[in-house]
């Protein structure tokens, strides 16, 4: 089990850290998929991204119209 943990934990596996998605990149992909600006949307779902999102950051502030 410890080997599986290392694959998913960027602290133990530096190669995995380079594969993670930023919020900015996740929002760009969302806009490509839905053909609309994320800043104008009232609902943006970023779950189940692959590679997974690294961490939440200030890029989420652009989603001012989300409910």
């Amino acid at each position: 089990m410890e080997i599986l943990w290392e694959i998913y934990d960027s602290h133990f596996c530096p190669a995995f850290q380079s594969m993670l998605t930023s919020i900015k990149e996740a929002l760009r992909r969302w806009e490509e998929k839905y053909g609309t600006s994320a800043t104008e949307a009232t609902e943006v779902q970023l779950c189940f991204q692959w590679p997974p999102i690294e961490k939440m950051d200030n890029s989420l502030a652009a989603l001012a119209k989300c409910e």
Side-chain angles (χ1 to χ4, degrees):
M1 282 299 198
E2 191 165 324
I3 293 172
L4 290 175
W5 177 253
E6 289 181 12
I7 291 172
Y8 293 107
D9 189 354
S10 62
H11 297 289
F12 294 109
C13 185
F16 184 70
Q17 189 171 18
S18 67
M19 294 173 28
L20 297 173
T21 303
S22 67
I23 292 292
K24 185 177 180 178
E25 177 65 18
L27 290 173
R28 186 190 63 76
R29 289 182 189 167
W30 186 92
E31 289 174 343
E32 285 180 0
K33 181 177 180 178
Y34 294 101
T36 187
S37 172
T39 59
E40 299 298 316
T42 57
E43 182 178 339
V44 176
Q45 294 186 10
L46 300 176
C47 51
F48 303 110
Q49 296 283 317
W50 190 258
I53 294 173
E54 178 179 12
K55 63 181 177 179
M56 300 300 166
D57 61 25
N58 290 337
S59 298
L60 292 172
L63 304 177
K65 293 189 177 182
C66 279
E67 298 175 354

